[in-house]
Amino acid sequence: MRITILSGGIGGARFVSGVVAAAPDADVTVVANTADDIWLHGLRVCPDLDSLMYTLGGGIDSERRWGRADETWSAKEDLAAYGEGPDWFGLGDRDIATHLVRTQMLREGRGLTAATAHLCERWRPGVTLLPMTEDEVETHLDAVVDGETRHLHFQEYWIRYRAGVPFTALSYDGVEASTPAPGVVEAIAGADVVLVAPSNPVVSIGPIVAVPGLADALRSTSAPVVGVSPIIGGGAVRGMADQLMGGLGREISAAAVAETYGSRRDGGLLDGWLVDGQDADAVDRLSPTGLAARAVPLFMDDDATTRQLAHDAITLVQELRP
């Protein structure tokens, strides 16, 4: 079985780990969001790619659920002593090694796909990990800070301001000129199962499907496409999906996220959608759209519940297969 998953970082990585456990013999490809990527201190930092790689490879900090386990912060402290910012984003000493290797390969012209594959040779995540694009695409928000509108990188909005400042617009800068990374379209077209992880629909999945050609690839694949809601009971389990959706004037609900993606019957991206039991009313709401919705437990509390959620998603795909 060939499974392709569209994913963001932390929550998506946990879901992918469940898929690997639920289908241990499957050939799994993960297309990761790279619009969170940022240049810091001359290094290209790819938070979602790294969260996936570290989580699946056993190197993640299990308490924070981001960054390396047993991390130290000497470089961050010395950068602060030199007065070199930004002080709101800290690179751990172990993590810096990853960014150094990636940046060196990029500067040699070897591309983000090749750099990611090389890094994965160490971590052996058990999946083929692909960036959505090799072009630089970065999510920015026009946010109001101290009465002035600033074009903030998503990382600054999220980490420095904790998503606590109002914003008037959101953009995926550079996406119009981007192209899918090598292997991404083929992974979607050749899949038996296509899953959309319970990642932020605005800043994780949104940028992936905004890359020219990727939404069309989802619409044309012969495999059913099933997504998992990142919203449970009107709020995000982790991250700021609810804040961003509210800021964009969208309804904050599991059904509304599915409606944003749309049904493939009507030119959208999905065939099926999983919601939590407390959002079971979404099943009837989505039925007229052509989406096959199911209510199942979505909280990934431990390995067993995470594996069961992945199993439920794969089962729905199999039910929808012609």
Side-chain angles (χ1 to χ4, degrees):
M1 182 164 54
R2 294 163 298 179
I3 302 175
T4 296
I5 308 170
L6 276 57
S7 179
I10 297 173
R14 187 161 182 79
F15 176 73
V16 172
S17 71
V19 172
V20 172
D25 297 325
D27 180 0
V28 180
T29 298
V30 182
V31 179
N33 167 50
T34 58
D36 289 3
D37 296 6
I38 188 171
W39 285 101
L40 289 170
H41 307 295
L43 301 177
R44 191 61 174 171
V45 180
C46 302
D48 286 359
L49 279 170
D50 290 347
S51 287
L52 285 156
M53 183 175 69
Y54 293 154
T55 297
L56 298 167
I60 199 76
D61 184 301
S62 59
E63 292 185 6
R64 293 179 311 185
R65 293 178 61 185
W66 59 268
R68 289 285 307 280
D70 301 319
E71 188 60 278
T72 56
W73 303 92
S74 297
K76 177 185 176 182
E77 294 165 2
D78 266 22
L79 284 166
Y82 283 120
E84 293 294 326
D87 58 3
W88 48 265
F89 197 116
L91 297 178
D93 301 329
R94 292 175 180 269
D95 204 26
I96 284 175
T98 296
H99 308 317
L100 281 167
V101 172
R102 175 189 295 119
T103 303
Q104 178 177 329
M105 292 186 69
L106 293 178
R107 295 197 185 284
E108 292 171 350
R110 297 165 71 182
L112 185 56
T113 304
T116 302
H118 178 69
L119 292 167
C120 286
E121 288 177 5
R122 173 190 177 183
W123 292 103
R124 301 186 181 278
V127 304
T128 299
L129 183 56
L130 299 176
M132 67 186 197
T133 181
E134 294 195 321
D135 301 304
E136 290 187 14
V137 175
E138 296 183 351
T139 300
H140 282 75
L141 299 97
D142 291 337
V144 180
V145 180
D146 297 328
E148 296 184 1
T149 299
R150 294 180 52 200
H151 195 58
L152 299 180
H153 190 287
F154 167 72
Q155 296 294 348
E156 185 172 8
Y157 170 79
W158 171 231
I159 297 174
R160 182 178 185 181
Y161 295 107
R162 306 303 301 171
V165 294
F167 68 93
T168 58
L170 181 145
S171 60
Y172 310 130
D173 292 4
V175 75
E176 295 87 354
S178 69
T179 58
V184 170
V185 171
E186 293 81 359
I188 295 172
D192 302 303
V193 174
V194 178
L195 302 175
V196 178
S199 298
N200 191 308
V202 179
V203 295
S204 294
I205 305 301
I208 297 175
V209 298
V211 174
L214 291 194
D216 287 340
L218 287 170
R219 295 185 185 103
S220 61
T221 182
S222 61
V225 180
V226 167
V228 181
S229 174
I231 300 293
I232 299 178
V237 179
R238 186 182 178 93
M240 77 309 294
D242 44 359
Q243 293 154 286
L244 290 170
M245 291 174 66
L248 292 171
R250 301 179 187 174
E251 175 189 331
I252 305 168
S253 71
V257 177
E259 289 166 347
T260 297
Y261 292 145
S263 167
R264 285 215 292 175
R265 186 190 71 180
D266 299 322
L269 307 178
L270 298 175
D271 297 295
W273 187 243
L274 295 184
V275 301
D276 191 70
Q278 60 186 288
D279 298 310
D281 58 338
V283 174
D284 290 336
R285 171 172 162 177
L286 294 173
S287 180
T289 70
L291 277 174
R294 302 285 188 274
V296 300
L298 293 194
F299 283 105
M300 296 182 285
D301 294 322
D302 50 37
D303 290 345
T305 57
T306 303
R307 183 173 60 251
Q308 182 60 48
L309 174 57
H311 174 76
D312 290 338
I314 295 170
T315 298
L316 180 53
V317 170
Q318 293 170 334
E319 290 177 8
L320 295 174
R321 189 176 302 284

